[in-house]
Amino acid sequence: MLFLDNPLEIKMDHSLPASDIASSTKPLSEASSAPVMDILSEPASEAFSAPMMNLLMEPASETSSAPMVDLLMEPASETSSAPMMNLFMEPASEASSGPMVDLLMDPASDDLKEPPKPDINPLADIINDAPLSEVKTPVAAMTQEPPSDLFDDEPSELFAEPRQSNTAKQQQTSIFDEPDEDLFSEPLGEALKKPQNDVFKEALAPVAKASNVCGPLSDNYNEDPTDIFTEEAITTLPSAVSTVSVNSKTNGVHSDEEEPDIFAEATVELSLDSPRNDRKKKEAAKPSASASAPSVSASASKPQPKTLEELDEEIEDKFELNISITNPEKVGDGMNAYMAYKVSTQTTLPMFRSKTFTVRRRFSDFLGLYEKLSDKHTLNGYIVPPPPEKSIMGMTKVKVGKEDNSSAEFVERRRAALERYLQRVVFHPSLLQDPDVREFLERDDMPRAHNTQALSGAGFLKMINRATDSLSKMTIKMNESDVWFEEKLQEVEAEDQQLRKLHIMVDSLVGHRKELSVNTGGFAKSVAMLGSSEDNTALSRALSQLAEVEDKMEQLHQEQAASDSFCFAELLADYIRLLGSVRASFDQRMKTWQRWQDAQNMLQKKRETEAKLLWANKPDKLQQAKDDITEWEAKVTQYERDFDRVSATVRKEVLRFEKEKARDFKKQIIKYLESLLQSQQQLIKYWEAFLPEAKAIA
Amino acid sequence: MMQEGLDDGPDFLSEEDRGPRAVNVDLQTDATLQVDISDALSERDKVKFTVHTKSTLPNFKQNEFSVVRQHEEFIWLHDSFVENEEYAGYIIPPAPPRPDFDASREKLQKLGEGEGSMTKEEFTKMKQELEAEYLAIFKKTVAMHEVFLCRVAAHPVLRKDMNFHVFLEYNQDLSVRGKNKREKMEDFFKNVVKSADGVLVAGVKDVDDFFEHEKTFLLEYHNRVKDASSKSDRMIRSHKSAADDINRIASTLYTLGTQDSTDVCKFFLKVSELFEKTRKIEARVAADEDLKLADLLKYYLRESQAAKDLLYRRGRALVDYENANKALDKARAKNKDVLQAETSQQVCCQKFEKISESAKQELIDFKTRRVAAFRKNLVELAELELKHAKGNLQLLQSCVGVLKGDT
């Protein structure tokens, strides 16, 4: 922060309260981790539109996060955070000022280095769907750009401009006047009623975000910021894009073709900047770089589903990522013991820091990853691959430390299941781009995942949520407009039922095969005894040979039981779980539909109220009613778009899922049949060896 | 041949099917008396066996004839052998086990009750399964009864038995009845005495090394064959369950495959078809193991018991003989009832010597028969296992080939 100019410092003085906010958040930081999650996850379900919130929130944290890192490194934390606060405020008021555009066009490219990467899916969605009102976007834009620009270029200009035309001064002050707690505790949705408040709101969000960022940092969780960071990276792009488009509009140069250009530029610059970037942002920088190319193509092409499909193909084509999980290792003793697995990644994808890397993860980390992914992506209709279930029984056995077959089998089964789970995640083109996934694969010391306990508070809440979900599922009567979805859902349900049945049967086969193995072993011993008491030498010999054959058969049956279980039963278990996720995405679609319907009803009501007011001739309330109608009209449009978007995603995801399923089943079943084939070959070998012995009995 | 399997319909006793008996324990040397069971009929709670005899012996009115016999009549014949003192020196062929269709019938009934709760395909499949099971038990029962008759017919002494001839020739009901309660109690009591006595007799050191050796051998052999028999039963049972599972997997895969006509569904159908075939093979493997291995062991469980019984009778006679010797010595010392003692001593001596003489031959024959039977069955078992495994392998190979070609 040595390069801070005087103007900035003046600024700092002016905005002392803001710095207070930043610093006061430190103690809050830990407590505020939950609120942060809320902010991230709620937007969609809240009255406000999901993409919007994302746009507004994430960029903000983006901005703040970069300087934050700096903060950590240099003692001047307070000073630098203060300007940031100002930035959020001022740009907000200054919708689309000239200087800003400049900022965006030129130095902005610096900033764009992060944005480009994430764009893969959500971005494209957001870009196309989210109706970005001008007032809002600039905010995002501003909050997003400032960090590097500010410090690198001409901060003075930036600050000067906004100041003069500060229409949002009152808001600014209001922020500072308000107690800190309010900032964080106030439900975001509440403030959204009035357009003016919107701006204010958005400003709030960034602040909250920022505090969140600085919290962990100050608590010496060195790696934590990157978490937030990378998360943001995904959603930053939309903001960047929107910024660009909005700003270019003001310049009168807005066109679709221009977007890719800007992006390309960004990419180039990125590579140039990367050293410095690395220093500052470590992991965040890299992933973004790698994805910049696809992002260009994604944002460039208009029809969305098509784009995504192309993107899929593209990614599948150059898919170069192998993940293996090995070396399950027991860590600790007693009930606190857990299994740690080695997660090795081999990749040629440029988004990763190196070609091969290895981390150690425990089971709850995998669950934590799922929670994160699920929170983020299920809302948009994505099918998030579920991890294997917790098994208290199996784990207890392992914990107790019994080194018997069943616990070794349990560990191996879980290892394989985790491996498949992770492979499914990275094979999903959108999920692969998720910073949490990369973090999971790359980061050396993961913060312990919480809320994965069987019945922790969060788990309990979740259960209740699920219960209400299923209740609403029952009550929601969706008159399906799209036959495709209706049929697919039925198909999925029927398939689920059949797979469950099949799974039970395969399990029973495994059981019987194991039983057969044990019984064959028993028989082998018995025959050996019979052979030893037989007084005809040749017969005695033949019997002991038979005993040997049966011994080998015992082994063979056991191996076969293992492959029944690993190749077949586990495949079915996976797909039963996956079908659960598929249904969840159908449910999500239904929920968005329901929200849209509710909004329509509400709009209807508002219109009725207006009519009544007109009739009653109450002009004082009429304005309010009209405002309400406009608001709800916007919401209806928004929700309808949401619904269309989620529908499109679900459809695409289901198709992808089916393709994947077909491939998986074919691969696994053929593998299974090959195992059967091998045991038959062995069987032939054994009996062929025995036959002359039997014939030699005289 | 047997390997045609269980599901080849009701004509399971057709000529080619009957060729090799499940358990062949005879040293068939003689064509003057040939007995077989040409047909069998399962009625509500009994099985009617048609016993077919071909003979050149003069005491039969015809050369070839058939009679209908029930399980109880077989038991009667067996008991008449056992009770005949004349045959004390022979290993009496073990009586065939009672036909036991209860379990199978019960299952069939349950299936009928549960008809509504399953799909038509499942029902048909289950029914086929149970019918096959029923058929297998039926076949085994017939085979066991036939083996008993063949053994008797091949025995140099027992084949001349009057009761046997009546059993074969008299074309009416022998009107043997099941034992009543009192007789059953008597039997039970006799058995208790016999086994207590058996312990006593077994404790007596035999003068003859051959018999001493046979005694220890049979004691051990019997226990081990008993163990092996129960273990083989268990093994085969789990093999059958596994085959049933594969069957059910096949039908579920079929249901999955018929849901629509996508690529995966076709794939499922092919795999279902494969499993349908392999489960048949697995079921046959289990059935053949049952026939060639378990039944053999079961037969030798009973036959070794019969041999043990023979040894017991000989041991009893030996003890009697020794007691008679002691009584004679006593009588001579007291010079009282000497003649009576001498007579009884001579009777005992004769009896013992007669038993010893025939028993020695019987035990040697037993061993020869055993070795031959084991050889035959083990060779057949190995051949069948190979045949099935190769069939299975071929199925799998072609299926994997097709599936891989498709993908």
Side-chain angles (χ1 to χ4, degrees), chain A residues 512 526 534 666 674 695, chain B residues 227 245 263 370 375 404:
Chain A
H512 282 133
S526 192
E534 173 61 57
K666 282 179 186 171
E674 276 168 347
K695 282 183 173 159
Chain B
D227 185 52
D245 288 334
D263 212 22
R370 189 179 71 230
R375 179 184 195 275
K404 272 187 176 167

Side-chain angles (χ1 to χ4, degrees), chain A residues 488 491 494-495 498-499 501-502 505-506 508-510 512-513 515-517 519-520 522-523 525-527 529-530 532-536 539 542-543 546 550 553 557 568 572 658 661-662 665-667 669-670 672-674 676-678 680-681 683-685 687-688 690-691 694-698, chain B residues 119 122 213-214 217 220-221 224-225 227-229 231-232 234-239 241-243 245-246 248-249 252-253 255-256 259-260 263-264 267-268 271 274-275 282 289 293 297 367 370-371 374-375 378-379 381-383 385-386 388-390 392-393 396-397 399-400 403-404 406-407:
Chain A
K488 268 291 173 242
E491 251 175 54
E495 195 179 351
Q498 291 301 322
L499 283 185
K501 212 164 138 190
L502 191 57
M505 282 163 190
V506 175
S508 146
L509 175 65
V510 172
H512 282 133
R513 199 95 79 171
E515 198 182 292
L516 175 60
S517 169
N519 289 337
T520 307
F523 178 64
K525 281 191 193 78
S526 192
V527 166
M529 294 298 282
L530 184 66
S532 72
S533 71
E534 173 61 57
D535 58 1
N536 178 293
L539 181 52
L543 284 176
L546 179 64
E550 297 291 349
M553 300 271 274
H557 289 313
F568 205 178
L572 297 173
E658 282 178 345
K661 188 186 77 187
F665 266 93
K666 282 179 186 171
K667 202 177 105 204
I669 288 183
I670 286 178
Y672 173 64
L673 294 182
E674 276 168 347
L676 284 172
L677 205 142
Q678 265 178 357
Q680 291 302 323
Q681 275 169 338
L683 213 87
I684 292 173
K685 227 171 73 188
W687 284 110
E688 264 172 358
F690 175 72
L691 191 55
K695 282 183 173 159
I697 303 171
Chain B
T119 70
E122 278 173 329
H213 170 79
E214 284 297 315
F217 162 73
E220 195 184 322
Y221 188 82
R224 293 200 168 155
V225 92
D227 185 52
S229 163
K231 293 277 166 61
S232 70
R234 252 191 255 169
M235 175 177 81
I236 288 155
R237 213 180 309 132
S238 35
H239 209 141
S241 319
D245 288 334
I246 297 177
R248 265 172 235 133
I249 289 171
T252 314
L253 274 174
T255 327
L256 261 177
Q259 267 177 359
D260 56 61
D263 212 22
V264 211
F267 179 82
F268 283 146
V271 178
L274 170 76
F275 280 175
E282 284 297 329
E289 279 175 358
L293 204 55
L297 292 169
K367 188 172 163 183
R370 189 179 71 230
V371 171
F374 268 93
R375 179 184 195 275
L378 288 182
V379 168
L381 174 72
E383 279 167 351
E385 293 269 10
L386 277 172
H388 294 323
K390 279 174 182 164
N392 218 338
L393 182 68
L396 284 164
Q397 271 170 339
C399 185
V400 169
L403 293 180
K404 272 187 176 167
D406 278 3
T407 47

Side-chain angles (χ1 to χ4, degrees), chain B residues 108 111 115 118-132 247 251 276 279:
Chain B
L108 212 59
L111 179 75
E115 190 177 348
M118 50 181 109
T119 70
K120 204 168 179 185
E121 286 117 43
E122 278 173 329
F123 179 76
T124 332
K125 212 159 214 177
M126 286 280 277
K127 207 174 150 205
Q128 274 173 1
E129 238 172 77
L130 286 176
E131 278 169 357
N247 190 18
S251 52
E276 181 65 45
R279 79 96 195 172

